[in-house]
Amino acid sequence: MTDPTHPGPEAMMGSTAGEFVVPSAEDQAAVAEVAGLDKPHSLGSEAWWQMRRRPMFWFSAGLIVLFLLMAVWPSLFTDADPRYCDLTQARHKPSREHWFGTDIQGCDVYARTIYGSRSSILVGVFCTAGVALIGSIVGLLAGFFGGWLDALLSRVGEIFFAIPTLLGGIVILYSFPSRPDTPYAIVVGKVVLAITLLQWPTIARIMRASVLQVMPHEYVTAARGLGARPGRIIVSHILPNAVAGVIAVATINLGVYIALEATLSFLGIGLQPPAISWGIAISEASRMGFLTSAPHMLLFPSVFLSLTVLAFIMLGEVVRDALDPRLR
Amino acid sequence: MRTRIRALSAAALVAAALVATGCSSGDPTPGPAGGGEVVLRGCTAQNPLLGLMTNEVCGGHVLDVVTSQLMRYDAETAAPVYDIAESITTDDAQLFTVKLKKGYLFSDGTEVKAENFIRAWNYGAYAPNGMAQATFFEPIAGYADLQCPGDDCDANKPPKEELEGLQQVDEYTFTIRTTEPTSNMELRLGYTVFAPLPEAFFADPKSAEFGRTPIGSGPYKVTSNTATEIVMEPNEHYTGAFKGKVDRIVYRIYDNDSSAAWADLLAGNLDFNDIVPGDQLVGDAWIAELGQERTVVRTSGTIEVLTVSPNDPQFKDNPKLRQAIGQAIDRETITREIYGGSRTPATGWVAPVVDGYLADQCGKACVYDPVQAKIDYDAAGGYQGILSVSVNGDGGHKDWAEAVCNNLRNNLGADCIVNLTPDFRTLLNQARDGELMGLFRNGWVMDYPSIENFLTPIYRVGAASNYSGYNNPEFESTLTQAAAATNLAQANELYQAAEAMLAQTYPTLPMWYRTTPAAWSTRVDNVVVTKMGWIDATQVTVHQP
């Protein structure tokens, strides 16, 4: 296991995993004395060095940057208003004017596909953030303190873990339906909450396992011996060394959450129109009659959805490989 | 051993069944028509299965075969023919003498007598009973005496309990006297609200059981009624002329989604479906799939309107705003692109299939003119905030509602959204309870083929289907005059004048006249779609295997 107590210069520059490997100066001194190790690279900087050698990283990162741009700044890609639909132009094949054709209402499929990325990215990012946050905290507490707290948190996690995510999502969202005049943020928020609620135990388990792995190390014992409080031990020693697995899995899961959102929206209970989302677009376009009369309606949102999910899963794999020395 | 015994007994059962039905396994020709089971597309009824309560098609389709009335409408022409009535005679269109056929039985074996009509109608008209369809009895003399003074039935009981205009002559004869001459009385009497009710009903009128499995005098009776299907089997006591051919009718309920029913039809699990999903209508994909011999597009007495919510403060007393919205809807393009031409843009409130129909009654609000619409819309103050268009999700209405919203958004700049309710019942309940704002869908399938049926039950004060809350004394008096007119031409003229009054305030915006596109499975024959847009379940037959 790489010791993070002597961060190299690259890590200080704030690369992908830079923040969590920077311990406070006095701790560095304290632990360095005990451990007596002297390595030039931190976990983060080494991972970064590993990742940038791989073409898959650049490919997936490029795609993700592209989709992020779409989500943040869709007007960069299209001038068309995704909500402007002209029924006289319904179901046109892709053309110079409408690159991806038009849908049954005569809306521009290209514009709707570009604008649809925002919902997917928002759901993906917020779910990942929520799951990582809740999961990490629960996992840290359970692993670090052990005993009855561990038993309690683990059992609670298992309860949620036992609920199939899709089924649970349907039940939750069906119980709290959105109306068409519900603000966009709340519509998205409900989906995020539902997914977060059902997914956090995955991360909590990973975190707990990592914590248990890190706990017996000498630098933890040393910090304890020097009288450090639990809070400091967790933040300075446990978390930085246990977080790698969480980051890798969370990145992979980001893609999974996006797919889950699309599935729920496809079933008509995730995001609701007038929100624009790929899941809704796919649901609309996959009615039997339209498969023959307007297949492009289904094709483009599906391709974009697949690419986004693929990009995040590929990035997640690269990150996992880079963070886990055993895989090298 | 156990499986073997099962297999043997199953084989024995099949053999017994073959003997019982008189079929030999090598018989290549289809057996005689008759028997078998048909599965019809259904939806959840809003009210108990009682003619006095049922004012929507989901329950109406069941009552069609479960009850019988004095008259029955011919499947092809919708003209009324005698059913329970032996004769109905009148000299002055005000006093009608009704003679009943003898030996006409309810499904519990009791006989239909004059008393069953009189008691049923009295019960329906008596306001404290709260029957939704009470206003259909309004023409009968003495109706006013059965209403609660001040419309407050808790405080004031009506002065009388029986309609003065109904008099029993003998067991099989009674007379109906109307307040004003009513020229189309005979025509009205075929509607299910005028069905007789058996003794068993009056024993416990509030019985939930009767509302689920009613006892009627129709060719079929309900044998089971659950949230997913209503099963009907022949009424063994039926002696009327409209006996059904099949042994079992299953009314399978599909809510939420019109494509589920469609998929079932294709898979052979459903025998008749009168809702073709929008995606199938495009380019007549559904006809190409099923062929001409399994499909029909029937012109029916049906109109679809967008009702302006009577509770929406922004629409209150603002006919100009309503008109501008009507004007901004491109009905021509919607009927062509969304419905593949199976709807015709409406130009009035009465469907063209009835006598007395007059085109262009709706005026400006039905003629697409986006430029003028925008000018009028702004002049009327526009609609602030979110304008919702509510439709039921189980009828395939989402696509056109979205198209309407796009029209309003593009042409007027209104912030329009589509509000989908899970099923038709929810939409009607929310409309009735005043929960819906903006615009909501209402469809009207005529109960009997008359211009009057498109006006009185929908726009008269207190009518169960008056969802727009329309209240216009001049309209009311014109309707009364029209009903009293002695010749048809004069009556029609007055009804047309009443219809034209709707164009002053636009309580509803006419959208289109519907044709009923219907499709059926390969198992059934003799499918006749009536002018009311539903299958005549008494004529359909099933191929015997």
Side-chain angles (χ1 to χ4, degrees):
Chain A
M1 179 65 66
T2 322
D3 188 343
T5 47
H6 289 267
E10 289 101 321
M12 300 301 277
M13 282 156 62
S15 59
T16 344
E19 308 83 63
F20 58 81
V21 292
V22 188
S24 67
E26 79 188 88
D27 260 353
Q28 280 176 39
V31 179
E33 269 174 40
V34 179
L37 293 168
D38 192 61
K39 280 198 179 173
H41 295 298
S42 74
L43 177 68
S45 63
E46 208 163 303
W48 169 238
W49 184 76
Q50 283 281 340
M51 284 196 298
R52 66 186 174 188
R53 289 191 313 171
R54 301 191 50 184
M56 206 158 98
F57 169 74
W58 293 108
F59 177 68
S60 53
L63 271 178
I64 289 169
V65 168
L66 191 70
F67 287 124
L68 282 176
L69 259 182
M70 267 181 212
V72 177
W73 204 352
S75 52
L76 207 63
F77 295 83
T78 173
D79 299 332
D81 176 358
R83 294 189 198 284
Y84 181 84
C85 308
D86 181 358
L87 196 59
T88 56
Q89 306 281 316
R91 296 185 310 279
H92 281 196
K93 294 266 179 291
S95 63
R96 187 185 296 268
E97 196 187 346
H98 301 289
W99 290 359
F100 291 179
T102 58
D103 69 6
I104 44 161
Q105 297 287 352
C107 315
D108 187 46
V109 174
Y110 176 67
R112 287 184 84 84
T113 309
I114 296 291
Y115 277 82
S117 65
R118 178 173 295 175
S119 307
S120 297
I121 302 278
L122 275 180
V123 170
V125 168
F126 279 112
C127 284
T128 306
V131 166
L133 194 72
I134 299 176
S136 300
I137 292 173
V138 172
L140 268 174
L141 294 178
F144 187 81
F145 292 105
W148 66 269
L149 187 66
D150 181 22
L152 179 74
L153 291 176
S154 297
R155 295 300 90 74
V156 171
E158 273 157 19
I159 290 172
F160 283 96
F161 201 68
I163 305 171
T165 310
L166 193 56
L167 186 66
I170 291 172
V171 171
I172 294 172
L173 292 170
Y174 204 81
S175 315
F176 303 98
S178 297
R179 288 175 53 84
D181 49 0
T182 314
Y184 180 70
I186 295 180
V187 176
V188 173
K190 279 183 191 170
V191 178
V192 170
L193 277 180
I195 295 178
T196 308
L197 195 66
L198 295 163
Q199 286 285 320
W200 65 265
T202 322
I203 297 292
R205 284 181 162 197
I206 293 168
M207 187 51 124
R208 178 175 169 274
S210 309
V211 170
L212 290 178
Q213 219 171 19
V214 174
M215 288 270 282
H217 282 271
E218 291 87 348
Y219 55 86
V220 179
T221 321
R224 241 194 253 275
L226 288 169
R229 289 168 183 280
R232 149 150 297 164
I233 299 176
I234 287 177
V235 173
S236 305
H237 303 295
I238 308 272
L239 187 62
N241 288 292
V243 84
V246 170
I247 289 177
V249 174
T251 317
I252 293 178
N253 278 355
L254 205 154
V256 176
Y257 301 148
I258 288 176
L260 201 55
E261 177 274 307
T263 311
L264 289 168
S265 302
F266 176 83
L267 294 174
I269 48 166
L271 300 178
Q272 303 283 334
I276 300 172
S277 119
W278 294 331
I280 296 171
I282 292 169
S283 169
E284 286 279 301
S286 57
R287 283 183 275 171
M288 255 189 292
F290 297 142
L291 289 182
T292 46
S293 61
H296 55 271
M297 264 171 66
L298 179 61
L299 179 69
F300 293 106
S302 311
V303 167
F304 273 56
L305 176 68
S306 307
L307 280 179
T308 313
V309 175
L310 183 73
F312 278 105
I313 290 182
M314 282 191 333
L315 181 72
E317 297 219 339
V318 175
V319 171
R320 189 194 59 197
D321 292 351
L323 286 176
D324 190 345
R326 276 167 303 187
L327 290 172
R328 279 179 213 150
Chain B
M1 271 321 278
R2 200 172 161 161
T3 40
R4 183 131 171 244
I5 291 168
R6 280 243 177 105
L8 279 174
S9 54
L13 270 177
V14 171
L18 285 175
V19 173
T21 52
C23 286
S24 68
S25 46
D27 191 357
T29 51
E37 172 189 283
V38 289
V39 184
L40 313 178
R41 181 206 70 88
C43 43
T44 309
Q46 187 192 15
N47 295 308
L49 294 174
L50 193 61
L52 298 172
M53 287 297 287
T54 299
N55 62 337
E56 41 77 48
V57 292
C58 296
H61 289 156
V62 176
L63 288 179
D64 264 356
V65 288
V66 170
T67 66
S68 61
Q69 292 74 240
L70 294 170
M71 316 293 290
R72 194 172 186 92
Y73 304 115
D74 184 80
E76 281 296 332
T77 61
V81 291
Y82 288 135
D83 189 351
I84 306 180
E86 171 98 30
S87 68
I88 299 175
T89 50
T90 180
D91 295 327
D92 54 1
Q94 197 162 1
L95 184 69
F96 301 84
T97 308
V98 181
K99 269 191 177 356
L100 306 181
K101 285 180 185 143
K102 288 182 185 166
Y104 214 107
L105 302 180
F106 284 108
S107 59
D108 64 353
T110 55
E111 194 176 5
V112 181
K113 295 180 178 172
E115 194 196 354
N116 296 103
F117 284 96
I118 295 172
R119 287 185 74 182
W121 298 1
N122 282 336
Y123 185 86
Y126 187 65
N129 292 332
M131 292 291 110
Q133 298 271 73
T135 51
F136 277 89
F137 300 104
E138 197 174 7
I140 301 172
Y143 175 81
D145 291 337
L146 270 65
Q147 305 313 301
C148 304
D151 275 336
D152 182 5
C153 285
D154 293 329
N156 308 308
K157 289 275 170 261
K160 287 185 178 170
E161 289 194 7
E162 285 172 3
L163 289 164
E164 188 194 324
L166 298 177
Q167 292 298 330
Q168 185 166 353
V169 178
D170 60 45
E171 270 199 311
Y172 300 100
T173 316
F174 69 101
T175 57
I176 309 167
R177 191 163 52 78
T178 56
T179 319
E180 304 280 337
T182 306
S183 45
N184 67 351
M185 198 63 200
E186 213 173 83
L187 185 62
R188 300 182 190 207
L189 292 174
Y191 184 37
T192 49
V193 71
F194 294 106
L197 286 168
E199 195 59 40
F201 169 77
F202 299 104
D204 181 13
K206 300 285 176 203
S207 155
E209 188 52 36
F210 194 93
R212 289 196 321 112
T213 54
I215 298 165
S217 53
Y220 286 88
K221 62 177 183 200
V222 175
T223 54
S224 96
N225 182 348
T226 65
T228 51
E229 59 181 33
I230 297 175
V231 178
M232 286 164 274
E233 281 171 17
N235 165 9
E236 65 267 31
H237 300 292
Y238 187 73
T239 55
F242 304 94
K243 204 169 164 62
K245 309 277 197 298
V246 294
D247 284 343
R248 217 169 118 92
I249 299 173
V250 178
Y251 187 73
R252 187 172 295 155
I253 290 160
Y254 294 88
D255 283 339
N256 287 318
D257 191 0
S258 57
S259 52
W262 186 255
D264 260 5
L265 182 84
L266 292 184
N269 298 327
L270 179 67
D271 291 320
F272 178 80
N273 189 355
D274 62 333
I275 294 181
V276 180
D279 57 302
Q280 293 292 335
L281 288 168
V282 172
D284 281 343
W286 66 293
I287 297 180
E289 171 111 29
L290 297 175
Q292 294 284 355
E293 66 283 355
R294 283 172 62 192
T295 55
V296 72
V297 179
R298 180 84 155 106
T299 312
S300 55
T302 310
I303 183 174
E304 212 136 37
V305 298
L306 275 178
T307 303
V308 178
S309 169
N311 300 306
D312 195 323
Q314 298 201 52
F315 279 121
K316 213 171 173 62
D317 304 322
N318 198 346
K320 191 99 177 163
L321 182 65
R322 302 169 179 206
Q323 179 211 308
I325 285 176
Q327 225 171 346
I329 299 170
D330 186 358
R331 294 169 180 78
E332 198 72 49
T333 309
I334 295 176
T335 50
R336 188 183 66 236
E337 294 294 335
I338 305 278
Y339 279 129
S342 72
R343 305 278 195 278
T344 319
T347 60
W349 285 271
V350 176
V353 297
V354 297
D355 192 32
Y357 159 79
L358 189 66
D360 298 323
Q361 286 277 59
C362 163
K364 279 167 91 177
C366 292
V367 183
Y368 183 54
D369 185 349
V371 178
Q372 189 59 41
K374 177 70 178 154
I375 296 169
D376 289 348
Y377 179 78
D378 290 339
Y383 192 93
Q384 314 305 321
I386 292 171
L387 172 61
S388 65
V389 174
S390 304
V391 298
N392 48 313
D394 58 347
H397 299 294
K398 182 166 166 277
D399 292 334
W400 73 255
E402 255 166 32
V404 164
C405 259
N406 286 332
N407 275 158
L408 300 184
R409 203 179 297 129
N410 299 344
N411 296 333
L412 303 178
D415 188 2
C416 178
I417 49 155
V418 177
N419 173 30
L420 277 187
T421 65
D423 54 19
F424 186 43
R425 180 171 63 164
T426 314
L427 182 80
L428 290 182
N429 286 345
Q430 289 183 352
R432 185 193 59 202
D433 300 341
E435 289 169 21
L436 297 173
M437 290 291 143
L439 306 165
F440 54 89
R441 180 194 89 89
N442 269 146
W444 184 254
V445 181
M446 64 182 182
D447 304 314
Y448 43 88
S450 162
I451 178 173
E452 181 265 337
N453 189 243
F454 282 90
L455 301 171
T456 319
I458 320 176
Y459 300 105
R460 189 149 218 185
V461 175
S465 301
N466 187 354
Y467 292 105
S468 64
Y470 188 65
N471 182 351
N472 179 358
E474 198 188 343
F475 178 84
E476 304 271 315
S477 69
T478 312
L479 284 188
T480 313
Q481 284 174 36
T486 42
N487 74 67
L488 192 65
Q490 196 197 351
N492 284 346
E493 223 165 88
L494 284 161
Y495 282 124
Q496 287 160 2
E499 185 190 358
M501 288 175 201
L502 297 174
Q504 293 162 4
T505 53
Y506 296 107
T508 62
L509 297 166
M511 299 306 288
W512 33 75
Y513 309 120
R514 264 172 65 176
T515 51
T516 302
W520 51 90
S521 71
T522 49
R523 298 174 57 240
V524 293
D525 278 323
N526 296 324
V527 176
V528 177
V529 178
T530 67
K531 261 197 174 170
M532 279 73 167
W534 183 243
I535 186 173
D536 182 354
T538 61
Q539 292 194 42
V540 67
T541 58
V542 179
H543 296 300
Q544 292 292 359

